[in-house]
Amino acid sequence: MEVKQEVVRPQSTFHPSIWGDQFLVYEEQEEQAAVEQTIQSLKEEVRKQILVAFDDPTKHNDLLKLVNDIQRLGIAYCFDQELEKALGHIYTIYGDDWNSGSVFLWFRLLRQEGFYVSCDIFNKYKNNDGTFKESLTNDVEGMLELYEAAYMRVPGEVVLDDALAFTKGQLEKITKDPLQWNCSQSLSRHIEEALERPIWKRLPRLEALRYIPFYEQQDLHNESLLRLAKLEFNRLQSLHKRELSQVSKLVELYFWVVGAYFEPQYSRSRIFFTKVITIATILDDTYDCYGTYEELEIFNKAIQRWSVTCIDALPDYMKFVYKIFLDSYGEMVEIMASEGKAYQVEYAKDLMKELSRHYMIEAKWKNEGYEPTLEEHESVSFVSAGYQMLIPTSFVSMGEKVTEEAFKWALSFPPLIKSASLIGRIMDDIVEGKGKDVVSTVECYMKEHDVKEEDVYNLFKERVEDAWKDMNLELLTCKDIPMVLKMRAINLARVIESLYNMMIA
């Protein structure tokens, strides 16, 4: 009798889950009509405040502060049209010549909205020798606003680079001895939060748990995805000695989706995007830490053909995964076809095929023991990081502002998506690079330039900051693409930085 030889599979290590068991239990609370009525009443009151300040130039500074408060509370989606109109009105009237106070707030809010206001206004806060005036330190709140505004910089804006270095140093001093600076406990806490994560890089203030009822009601808690999450070889299963709730695992992935867009009107997009991220995670782990090279070749060919006829040729454990691929995208094609927009899902399919091809290149390197140059590595790993696929895929079903031209723009790998991909790749390699069999960008750079690991980390952190500058520039200058779509790249960059910074901490 022939003895079946045991297959030796590659092994990889992954970071521990940052969520633990906190999503194991969730109790849905019933919404009350009285609460809804109160919410509607408050919305109308806020709209009236915006309108009153809109028509009175003496209240335009108050209007900016109101816009800031609304955005910081994470409820801007309730007043999208009003806020867009208000900031557009401010820009039309003043252009670059704002003179109504709160200069730093004005600058940040307008740039966040896509208005390319000049940074020259900051030069008046400098001395003749180019340093910032010490008198700025007398206004702690103003210094905090200058710090936040500096993160809207684009390449070449030295005055904002200087402003960031100056304010960061001063704010760090204040946190060490708030009383000396007459800084309240509340303001000191805000400063600490800003130093940890500035507003522009911060995810909207939201409570992930409020979306769990939606998540369950919309059939994300279904048999296919739960079985997919439970596959023995994926990272979510391997992290724990004991089995956690399957729902908890999907919620961890769902955090990425809520980070990309939490607004209620994108519910259908979130459903599809959650499935895609779950599938992509399993695909990544199949290539990284379970499939043999021969199995992966068969798997990649099947993904490129994207046909149910390929299932029989796959190893047994891959058949279910592949079936989920076909079913998930097939369901979305049917939905979007009813609206004449099936092309959106077809673009999403092509992006997933491209991701698989780049995973296969990395698998080939690993199988052959090949060590790529940094240039070779980045040409592949910036795609395998996943954002080149995820950002355009997040457009699916987002409404009338999504056009075929928007997908063509996204598939050209423009600077906005390239920069977000760079952030994703570098942050991943800094946190997880050593646990992978294929050399990371960090290791490639160390070998190619003969430098220490610590120096590479510092250099790569600078590259991340430069990537944010490039994204800011694209946000301000790429006028053919709706802001709502460009913000998907910004939001996903925020997600990756937030998650990995939590892991580092």
Side-chain angles (χ1 to χ4, degrees):
M1 181 178 179
E2 183 180 356
V3 178
K4 187 176 181 180
Q5 186 175 0
E6 182 179 354
V7 177
V8 179
R9 300 192 178 279
Q11 298 293 323
S12 293
T13 58
F14 301 100
H15 63 82
S17 171
I18 62 176
W19 305 111
D21 299 0
Q22 63 179 300
F23 293 118
L24 290 180
V25 178
Y26 178 79
E27 295 180 2
E28 183 177 355
Q29 297 180 352
E30 295 183 1
E31 295 181 351
Q32 300 179 6
V35 174
E36 289 295 324
Q37 186 175 357
T38 301
I39 291 173
Q40 290 303 319
S41 176
L42 290 172
K43 285 182 180 180
E44 290 306 315
E45 183 178 336
V46 171
R47 290 191 178 97
K48 289 178 183 178
Q49 291 181 29
I50 294 173
L51 184 61
V52 169
F54 188 91
D55 295 326
D56 185 351
T58 65
K59 294 183 178 180
H60 283 173
N61 190 32
D62 293 334
L63 179 59
L64 286 180
K65 292 179 180 179
L66 179 59
V67 170
N68 183 52
D69 289 342
I70 291 171
Q71 291 180 347
R72 295 290 297 277
L73 287 169
I75 57 174
Y77 69 91
C78 298
F79 310 98
D80 275 342
Q81 295 182 356
E82 291 85 356
L83 299 190
E84 182 179 352
K85 187 177 179 181
L87 293 175
H89 182 64
I90 294 291
Y91 181 72
T92 299
I93 292 178
Y94 301 97
D96 290 332
D97 300 320
W98 173 255
N99 55 10
S100 298
S102 303
V103 172
F104 309 139
L105 179 62
W106 161 81
F107 179 84
R108 177 172 63 82
L109 291 180
L110 264 67
R111 280 214 171 177
Q112 284 178 184
E113 193 63 28
F115 297 110
Y116 202 166
V117 290
S118 174
C119 67
D120 290 344
I121 196 169
F122 290 88
N123 286 316
K124 72 178 183 179
Y125 298 98
K126 280 192 162 188
N127 298 309
N128 292 333
D129 63 358
T131 60
F132 275 90
K133 297 178 180 178
E134 283 297 317
S135 59
L136 286 169
T137 62
N138 297 327
D139 179 8
V140 177
E141 290 189 36
M143 198 159 42
L144 178 58
E145 284 295 351
L146 175 55
Y147 168 84
E148 297 286 12
Y151 276 98
M152 298 309 303
R153 58 192 173 155
V154 302
E157 292 186 325
V158 178
V159 65
L160 293 181
D161 292 336
D162 293 343
L164 182 57
F166 169 73
T167 54
K168 187 175 183 179
Q170 291 296 324
L171 292 173
E172 286 174 344
K173 290 180 184 178
I174 292 172
T175 58
K176 293 177 181 177
D177 191 359
L179 293 178
Q180 180 184 343
W181 297 84
N182 295 318
C183 180
S184 67
Q185 184 178 1
S186 174
L187 181 56
S188 177
R189 185 171 63 253
H190 288 162
I191 292 172
E192 290 174 357
E193 290 175 352
L195 289 172
E196 181 180 346
R197 184 133 305 270
I199 290 172
W200 183 231
K201 293 185 177 185
R202 197 177 301 172
L203 291 168
R205 289 184 180 274
L206 53 87
E207 299 172 358
L209 286 179
R210 66 181 284 196
Y211 294 98
I212 304 304
F214 151 83
Y215 153 79
E216 292 178 342
Q217 291 165 11
Q218 298 297 334
D219 198 32
L220 288 178
H221 186 185
N222 63 42
E223 183 64 22
S224 295
L225 281 183
L226 294 181
R227 287 176 62 196
L228 194 60
K230 195 178 179 182
L231 285 175
E232 64 177 353
F233 59 88
N234 77 64
R235 76 179 66 189
L236 302 178
Q237 178 71 11
S238 64
L239 290 179
H240 307 278
K241 293 181 180 179
R242 63 184 180 83
E243 181 179 339
L244 295 178
S245 163
Q246 298 162 22
V247 174
S248 179
K249 297 169 188 176
L250 291 179
V251 170
E252 181 170 342
L253 291 178
Y254 193 59
F255 179 84
W256 292 72
V257 181
V258 177
Y261 30 32
F262 69 96
E263 301 87 344
Q265 64 266 34
Y266 301 129
S267 61
R268 192 168 66 184
S269 296
R270 281 195 297 271
I271 296 169
F272 179 58
F273 201 47
T274 302
K275 294 179 180 180
V276 170
I277 287 184
T278 305
I279 290 168
T281 300
I282 304 303
L283 183 65
D284 185 18
D285 292 337
T286 303
Y287 277 94
D288 264 359
C289 63
Y290 196 81
T292 65
Y293 184 71
E294 292 73 20
E295 291 171 343
L296 296 177
E297 284 188 306
I298 299 171
F299 193 37
N300 180 56
K301 289 177 182 178
I303 291 173
Q304 303 310 315
R305 289 185 59 191
W306 207 284
S307 170
V308 70
T309 60
C310 298
I311 289 181
D312 290 341
L314 294 170
D316 289 342
Y317 75 93
M318 287 181 172
K319 290 179 180 178
F320 174 71
V321 178
Y322 190 70
K323 181 71 163 47
I324 293 295
F325 264 65
L326 302 183
D327 290 348
S328 297
Y329 283 80
E331 290 169 6
M332 203 60 185
V333 166
E334 290 182 9
I335 293 171
M336 298 305 294
S338 66
E339 301 173 7
K341 297 178 181 178
Y343 73 87
Q344 295 184 6
V345 188
E346 294 303 323
Y347 278 118
K349 284 183 185 178
D350 290 341
L351 288 159
M352 185 61 83
K353 291 177 182 179
E354 185 74 1
L355 180 65
S356 179
R357 282 194 290 269
H358 283 74
Y359 281 155
M360 195 65 222
I361 294 173
E362 291 181 336
K364 187 172 186 291
W365 288 345
K366 180 167 62 176
N367 183 62
E368 296 176 355
Y370 178 70
E371 295 186 3
T373 65
L374 181 64
E375 182 179 358
E376 288 175 322
H377 193 290
E378 291 188 346
S379 69
V380 173
S381 63
F382 280 15
V383 179
S384 66
Y387 272 21
Q388 185 176 358
M389 179 276 289
L390 289 174
I391 293 171
T393 299
S394 72
F395 296 174
V396 175
S397 190
M398 275 190 66
E400 295 304 318
K401 290 189 177 181
V402 182
T403 63
E404 191 158 7
E405 287 68 31
F407 275 98
K408 290 178 179 178
W409 165 80
L411 266 65
S412 70
F413 208 20
L416 185 65
I417 297 178
K418 187 176 295 183
S419 297
S421 298
L422 182 151
I423 292 172
R425 176 75 279 150
I426 288 179
M427 293 300 294
D428 181 74
D429 282 351
I430 288 175
V431 175
E432 297 192 90
K434 287 186 176 181
K436 297 188 176 182
D437 294 324
V438 178
V439 294
S440 67
T441 52
V442 173
E443 293 165 316
C444 280
Y445 195 96
M446 288 172 59
K447 183 174 182 179
E448 201 163 303
H449 296 276
D450 192 25
V451 294
K452 296 179 180 178
E453 185 175 14
E454 182 179 348
D455 294 333
V456 179
Y457 287 149
N458 292 332
L459 176 64
F460 276 22
K461 288 174 183 176
E462 291 179 11
R463 289 186 68 186
V464 168
E465 291 304 316
D466 288 340
W468 274 102
K469 293 181 185 180
D470 291 336
M471 286 196 294
N472 291 344
L473 180 62
E474 188 84 343
L475 201 69
L476 296 168
T477 58
C478 183
K479 298 298 184 181
D480 296 334
I481 304 300
M483 179 65 74
V484 70
L485 300 185
K486 290 185 287 187
M487 285 305 298
R488 294 323 109 204
I490 298 293
N491 280 349
L492 283 168
R494 289 168 171 169
V495 170
I496 195 75
E497 273 211 24
S498 296
L499 282 173
Y500 284 146
N501 281 328
M502 282 190 281
M503 294 170 195
I504 293 173

